[in-house]
Amino acid sequence: METHIELEKVLPAEIEARSFEIITEELGDMPLIPGTEPIVKRCIHTSADFAYARSLHFTEGAVEHALEMLRNGASIVTDTQMGRAGINKARLAKYGGQVYCFMSDEDVAGAAKAGGTTRAAASMDKAASLGEPLIFAIGNAPTALVRLYELIQEGRLRPELIIGVPVGFVNVVQSKELILSLKDTPSIVARGRKGGSNIAACICNALLYMLD
Amino acid sequence: METHIELEKVLPAEIEARSFEIITEELGDMPLIPGTEPIVKRCIHTSADFAYARSLHFTEGAVEHALEMLRNGASIVTDTQMGRAGINKARLAKYGGQVYCFMSDEDVAGAAKAGGTTRAAASMDKAASLGEPLIFAIGNAPTALVRLYELIQEGRLRPELIIGVPVGFVNVVQSKELILSLKDTPSIVARGRKGGSNIAACICNALLYMLD
């Protein structure tokens, strides 16, 4: 190296473990809810943003229920192709589940146009018609969360878990609070503006890795 | 709605424009480098993290050069399938470019194992062998940036642009500084620990949207 920049010597297979060590060190005595630590730490690992230690909200028993459902073959619905790309599909398939993303489907585009809504919202209707145990991982579209809220209120859908982590500025904060206002829906929500498809995928992966 | 949560009324087609309005408002009189504003704002749009207004570093003329190369059909190499999923491939193809991601290639896995390195680093070697104008969008692996640095120092690669935005805790900060130490390589780098595949993809998309 011709510069004075010093690289830490870490073997490829040890980079992730070393990262989690640093995260644990820097979290210090920050109180985390028992049983949620691997999820919180993986969100920080994915974002380098310690704000997730405070913003992530877990409804009671949500993690345990999600783990049981994944173990029994539940599938995951996500609102972006990036989210789908990031989820460990081989690990999910091991238990019988798959990842659905309907955002590029022509029928969804048509339904959104006809209804004056977003493709993300219309894709939640398509998911509701599947009639199977589903975990929703929403990392982009607040309109998807709003539509999930409506479908649940109308009794047309009962998600096993909603991962509510859209990112942004228009109705993002409100859509997350709507999900948290549901009494009987297990959820993991990043309160505030932050989140993303990467966070949605990493929460799914954290759950999958907890199964092993 | 049975709750007191109030949603802002914004038409689907207007959500992005409204988001950029809010970002511009909240940035206030924060000084941005002329010609880089659409990129900085899109990073904030993707992350809801205003830290990018301070952390993004642009080498002189990097944006103009990248736009010229994209217009002439340059392709993009990225280090994750999530990054590939997030880049607007239709827009890129309009100018003649495509997105490469070699992370899942068997020859890359073999080379990484043989060399005791990461697949991300090995995939940079594969990219160097293409011999065509390339933009590198690195959102995950600092080892990819370190390998790019070595290939450039050895005179084996001359990237048109390096988007250096890996996220994390092990050698992330250092790998970005290595790229910034290169005198003749155009780069856009998010200094510090933050970044991600989503940020890598959104910088590519910001460039593509600037072409129209």
Side-chain angles (χ1 to χ4, degrees):
Chain A
M1 297 283 165
E2 289 158 15
T3 68
H4 62 284
I5 298 157
E6 288 228 11
L7 293 170
E8 193 178 344
K9 290 197 194 332
V10 182
L11 291 173
E14 292 167 3
I15 295 172
E16 182 167 310
R18 175 72 190 122
S19 300
F20 275 82
E21 263 177 37
I22 296 170
I23 292 165
T24 302
E25 261 169 52
E26 295 195 20
L27 276 169
D29 52 10
M30 167 84 68
L32 300 179
I33 305 162
T36 70
E37 298 94 337
I39 298 169
V40 175
K41 289 181 184 175
R42 189 162 290 277
C43 287
I44 297 170
H45 177 255
T46 288
S47 63
D49 193 338
F50 284 82
Y52 288 105
R54 293 181 191 277
S55 66
L56 282 173
H57 184 278
F58 299 80
T59 61
E60 210 182 316
V63 173
E64 294 74 7
H65 182 68
L67 292 176
E68 194 191 328
M69 296 311 296
L70 285 169
R71 197 177 283 114
N72 291 327
S75 285
I76 297 174
V77 177
T78 187
D79 66 331
T80 61
Q81 301 296 348
M82 280 191 83
R84 172 149 72 177
I87 296 168
N88 191 326
K89 290 167 287 293
R91 196 67 69 103
L92 181 62
K94 198 175 125 181
Y95 300 98
Q98 61 177 302
V99 181
Y100 296 109
C101 176
F102 302 124
M103 292 296 289
S104 312
D105 294 9
E106 281 186 27
D107 56 340
V108 165
K113 203 170 176 189
T117 184
T118 64
R119 281 185 296 156
S123 74
M124 296 299 108
D125 285 79
K126 184 160 179 175
S129 74
L130 292 177
E132 56 173 292
L134 292 173
I135 288 173
F136 288 80
I138 307 300
N140 185 55
T143 54
L145 287 188
V146 173
R147 188 63 190 138
L148 284 178
Y149 175 85
E150 292 168 349
L151 288 166
I152 293 163
Q153 292 289 65
E154 293 164 11
R156 292 171 55 196
L157 180 66
R158 202 173 153 176
E160 303 304 336
L161 175 72
I162 297 177
I163 299 170
V165 296
V167 58
F169 298 89
V170 176
N171 289 330
V172 166
V173 172
Q174 296 95 313
S175 70
K176 292 169 177 174
E177 295 303 318
L178 274 181
I179 296 303
L180 288 174
S181 76
L182 292 164
K183 290 285 163 276
D184 301 312
T185 303
S187 66
I188 302 175
V189 168
R191 280 186 140 141
R193 286 172 165 179
K194 286 183 180 174
S197 304
N198 51 343
I199 295 293
C202 103
I203 293 175
C204 294
N205 291 340
L207 289 166
L208 288 167
Y209 302 151
M210 287 167 85
L211 285 177
D212 293 341
Chain B
M1 297 284 167
E2 288 158 14
T3 67
H4 63 284
I5 299 158
E6 287 226 12
L7 294 169
E8 193 178 344
K9 289 197 195 334
V10 182
L11 291 173
E14 293 166 3
I15 295 173
E16 184 168 308
R18 176 74 191 120
S19 300
F20 275 82
E21 265 177 36
I22 296 169
I23 292 165
T24 302
E25 262 170 50
E26 295 195 19
L27 277 169
D29 52 9
M30 166 84 69
L32 300 179
I33 304 162
T36 70
E37 299 92 337
I39 299 169
V40 176
K41 288 181 186 176
R42 190 163 290 276
C43 287
I44 297 171
H45 177 255
T46 288
S47 63
D49 192 339
F50 283 83
Y52 288 104
R54 292 181 191 278
S55 66
L56 282 173
H57 184 278
F58 299 80
T59 61
E60 212 182 314
V63 173
E64 294 73 8
H65 181 69
L67 293 176
E68 195 192 328
M69 296 312 296
L70 285 170
R71 197 178 283 115
N72 291 326
S75 285
I76 297 173
V77 177
T78 188
D79 66 330
T80 61
Q81 302 296 350
M82 279 191 84
R84 170 147 75 177
I87 296 169
N88 191 327
K89 289 168 287 294
R91 196 66 70 104
L92 182 62
K94 200 175 125 182
Y95 299 98
Q98 59 177 302
V99 182
Y100 296 110
C101 177
F102 303 125
M103 292 297 289
S104 312
D105 294 7
E106 280 185 30
D107 56 341
V108 165
K113 203 172 177 187
T117 184
T118 64
R119 281 185 295 154
S123 73
M124 296 300 108
D125 285 79
K126 183 160 179 175
S129 73
L130 293 178
E132 55 172 295
L134 292 172
I135 288 173
F136 289 80
I138 308 301
N140 186 56
T143 54
L145 287 188
V146 173
R147 188 64 189 137
L148 284 179
Y149 174 84
E150 293 168 349
L151 288 166
I152 292 163
Q153 292 289 65
E154 293 164 11
R156 293 171 54 197
L157 179 66
R158 201 173 153 178
E160 304 304 336
L161 175 73
I162 297 178
I163 298 169
V165 295
V167 58
F169 299 89
V170 176
N171 289 330
V172 167
V173 172
Q174 295 96 312
S175 69
K176 292 171 177 173
E177 295 303 318
L178 273 182
I179 296 304
L180 288 174
S181 77
L182 293 164
K183 288 284 163 277
D184 301 312
T185 303
S187 67
I188 302 174
V189 168
R191 280 188 139 141
R193 287 173 166 178
K194 287 184 180 174
S197 305
N198 50 343
I199 295 293
C202 102
I203 293 175
C204 294
N205 291 340
L207 290 166
L208 289 168
Y209 302 152
M210 287 168 85
L211 285 178
D212 294 340

